């Protein structure tokens, strides 16, 4: 129940752990309660609890200003139409005048604009809570408050979810019976946390289809490592009724030995169709081990994995010639020397299912463009629709002629180039 700002202040609630006062700020359950509630009055009620949990995670004293900022960030990320944030009006009947009001209380703030008519804020089936500094307390709050709701996608990227939040994350997955997509990139999960989520929930989950533990160019990636990956794959292999078809593992500290772990899993798996391992230091050894097991995938991203064309081209060409499923492939930001690039170009021309190809930043020069153009133009089976060859050295006139040939004489619908090249 909201309290009027003129009410007597309640004593702050002390948090006690093992008989000692915890080293956390004491949340003020006093005059400000009504003011905090007013900020979130047009939103779903659980957001006030979520804000309080976030303050606990960050060890920061809550203020009306940070509450307003929190609500603004949530509003910006989630489906419209959403109402304006609640404004906090002064109360003329308050026992304290404006001059004597304590900073941060309702009586010290006045609305800059008139209040608009309230509109209910309704969360749809997709929720985003990125960059809100969530930790274990916030994840636990979400698991409790969202239990049983029809949420199909939730994005918790770029927060502070570490191994101590793994149990709460598993509870959140369990609490959402229709959850299909969970995004956890940019947190601080380690192998122990990934293992706990996998063993406690993913071994039995029958709804989740997409899990993102990483995304490209993360400044603070989850430190999954091969140890965490093996635990994850083992749990998925044990779940005979799983629907998990997409794994995003970009920038998760995987190394060459992860290639064998993934290959062993893919050899016997029939559910996974999309795999992103970009931004990991697999080296040519790890990628060469992985590629032969990828024939059943529809999407494969091995961009920026420190591999070289001269060492992987045989396995890559074999994959392109054998696959009947691969529709999207990225080998961007790996060095493809002229000779292996010619062989890869010939293999691409025989890959009928391939629709999207990313070869940005592969060191391609005029010779490579010519080989690629000849392969695609002369192909009887190529259905390539989207090609990215940006960030390469292809500014010569001869290269431009062959790029024009690709555009005019193939089924290509989208071609990405550097604007400065031509």
């Amino acid at each position: 129940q909201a309290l009027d700002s003129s009410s007597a202040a309640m004593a702050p609630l002390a948090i006690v752990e093992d008989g000692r006062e915890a080293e956390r700020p004491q949340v003020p359950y006093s005059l400000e309660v009504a003011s905090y509630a007013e900020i979130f009055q047009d939103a779903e009620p659980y957001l006030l609890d979520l804000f309080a949990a976030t303050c606990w995670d960050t060890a920061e004293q809550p203020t009306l200003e940070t509450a307003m900022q929190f609500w603004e960030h949530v509003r910006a990320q989630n489906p419209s139409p959403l109402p304006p944030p609640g404004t906090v009006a002064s109360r003329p009947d308050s026992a304290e005048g404006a001059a004597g009001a304590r900073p941060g209380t309702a009586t010290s703030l006045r609305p800059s604009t008139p209040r608009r008519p309230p509109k209910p804020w309704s969360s749809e089936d997709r929720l985003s809570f990125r960059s809100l500094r969530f930790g274990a307390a916030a994840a636990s709050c979400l698991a409790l408050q969202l239990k049983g709701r029809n949420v199909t996608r939730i994005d918790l990227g770029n927060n502070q979810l570490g191994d101590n939040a793994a149990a709460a994350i598993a509870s959140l997955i369990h609490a959402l019976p229709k959850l299909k997509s969970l995004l956890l990139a940019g947190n601080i999960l380690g192998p122990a946390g990934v293992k706990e989520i996998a063993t406690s929930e993913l071994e039995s989950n029958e709804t989740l289809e997409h899990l993102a533990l990483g995304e490209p160019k993360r400044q603070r990636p989850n430190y999954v490592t091969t140890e965490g990956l093996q635990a994850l794959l083992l749990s998925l292999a044990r779940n005979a009724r799983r629907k998990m078809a997409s794994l995003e593992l970009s920038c998760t500290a995987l190394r060459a030995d992860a290639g064998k772990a993934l290959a062993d899993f893919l050899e016997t798996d029939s559910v996974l169709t999309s795999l992103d391992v970009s931004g990991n230091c697999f080296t040519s050894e790890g990628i060469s081990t992985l590629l032969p097991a990828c024939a059943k995938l529809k999407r494969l991203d091995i961009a920026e994995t420190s591999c070289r064309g001269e060492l992987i081209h045989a396995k890559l060409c074999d994959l392109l010639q054998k696959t009947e499923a691969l529709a999207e492939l990225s080998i961007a930001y790996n060095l493809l020397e002229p000779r292996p690039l010619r062989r890869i170009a010939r293999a691409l021309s025989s890959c009928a299912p391939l629709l999207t190809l990313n070869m940005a930043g592969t060191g391609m020069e005029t010779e490579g463009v010519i080989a690629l153009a000849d392969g695609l133009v002369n192909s009887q089976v190529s259905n390539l629709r989207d090609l990215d060859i940006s960030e390469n050295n292809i500014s010569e006139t001869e290269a431009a002629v062959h790029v024009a040939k690709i555009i005019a004489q193939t089924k290509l619908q989208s071609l990405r180039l550097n604007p400065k090249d031509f």
Side-chain angles (χ1 to χ4, degrees), residues 385-407:
R385 298 289 191 272
D386 189 344
L387 175 63
D388 188 343
I389 52 174
S390 61
E391 300 184 53
N392 287 297
N393 186 22
I394 53 175
S395 57
E396 297 180 8
T397 303
E398 188 176 4
V401 171
H402 284 81
V403 168
K405 185 186 295 187
I406 295 175
I407 297 173

Side-chain angles (χ1 to χ4, degrees), residues 31-32 36 62-64 96 98-109:
L31 302 181
E32 291 85 355
Y36 286 105
T63 66
L64 294 175
E96 295 179 306
R102 294 185 294 112
T105 63
T107 54
S108 65
L109 299 176

Side-chain angles (χ1 to χ4, degrees), residues 185-198:
N187 283 284
I188 50 177
L189 284 167
V194 173
K195 182 177 181 179
E196 182 170 358
I197 295 170

Side-chain angles (χ1 to χ4, degrees), residues 55 275 345 404:
C55 291
L275 178 64

Side-chain angles (χ1 to χ4, degrees), residues 4-316:
D4 188 84
S5 62
S6 61
S7 303
M10 296 169 59
L13 180 64
I15 309 296
V16 179
E17 296 177 352
D18 299 328
R20 294 173 298 176
E21 189 172 78
E23 295 181 358
R24 292 281 181 172
Q26 295 179 346
V27 180
Y29 296 98
S30 56
L31 302 181
E32 291 85 355
V33 172
S35 302
Y36 286 105
E38 188 171 359
I39 290 174
F40 294 97
Q41 69 177 354
D42 296 331
E44 293 204 22
Y46 75 84
L47 288 179
L48 178 55
D49 293 330
L50 190 58
F51 168 68
T54 305
C55 291
W56 172 262
D57 284 326
T58 57
E60 293 181 356
Q61 189 76 23
T63 66
L64 294 175
E65 181 180 1
T66 56
M68 188 77 75
Q69 291 172 352
F70 179 87
W71 167 227
E72 287 280 12
H73 285 309
V74 172
R75 274 182 79 235
Q77 294 183 49
N78 289 279
S80 57
L82 298 178
T87 52
V88 184
S90 61
R91 293 179 171 85
D93 57 338
S94 173
E96 295 179 306
R102 294 185 294 112
T105 63
T107 54
S108 65
L109 299 176
R110 295 179 181 274
S112 57
T113 56
R115 287 291 300 273
R116 302 181 195 177
K119 293 189 293 183
W121 181 75
S122 59
S123 58
E124 298 184 4
D125 62 344
R126 299 162 67 91
L127 291 173
S128 178
F129 298 107
R130 293 181 66 90
S131 305
L132 292 169
R133 301 190 294 171
F134 283 3
S140 296
C141 179
L142 281 175
L144 177 65
Q145 299 290 351
L146 296 180
K147 185 176 181 180
R149 296 203 183 192
N150 296 328
V151 176
T152 60
R153 180 183 186 273
I154 188 163
D155 188 348
L156 298 176
N158 201 31
N159 282 293
Q160 298 175 2
L161 298 169
D163 290 347
N164 66 332
I169 295 170
S171 296
L172 177 61
I173 297 172
H174 189 78
L176 299 174
K178 295 188 178 181
L179 186 65
K180 295 182 178 181
S181 179
L182 176 63
L183 286 73
L184 295 170
N187 283 284
I188 50 177
L189 284 167
V194 173
K195 182 177 181 179
E196 182 170 358
I197 295 170
T199 55
S200 61
E201 185 56 33
L202 298 184
E203 282 191 12
S204 58
N205 184 275
E206 299 178 15
T207 59
L208 200 61
E209 299 175 2
H210 171 237
L211 176 64
L213 291 173
E215 59 188 29
K217 306 297 184 183
R218 293 306 317 168
Q219 294 183 348
R220 186 187 60 190
N222 288 313
Y223 194 73
V224 175
T225 73
T226 303
E227 179 187 352
L229 174 65
Q230 289 173 328
L232 173 62
L233 296 178
L234 180 60
S235 292
L236 295 180
R238 288 174 174 171
N239 187 348
R241 303 182 66 179
R242 72 175 173 90
K243 294 183 179 179
M244 178 83 70
S246 175
L247 274 179
E248 291 188 37
L249 301 168
S250 180
C251 301
T252 51
L254 301 180
R255 297 292 183 263
D257 53 354
K260 185 178 187 309
L262 283 165
D264 290 344
F265 173 77
L266 290 170
E267 287 289 352
T268 58
D269 184 71
S270 60
V271 181
L272 196 70
T273 59
S274 177
L275 178 64
D276 182 350
V277 294
S278 62
N280 291 292
C281 191
F282 270 67
T283 72
S284 299
E285 177 188 356
I287 294 300
S288 294
T289 304
L290 172 63
L291 288 174
C294 296
K296 292 179 285 188
L297 294 179
K298 295 180 180 179
R299 175 179 177 267
L300 175 63
D301 191 337
I302 57 171
E304 203 173 359
T305 48
S306 302
C307 61
R308 297 180 59 181
E310 63 182 7
L311 299 177
I312 69 164
H313 75 273
K315 299 292 177 66
L316 179 58

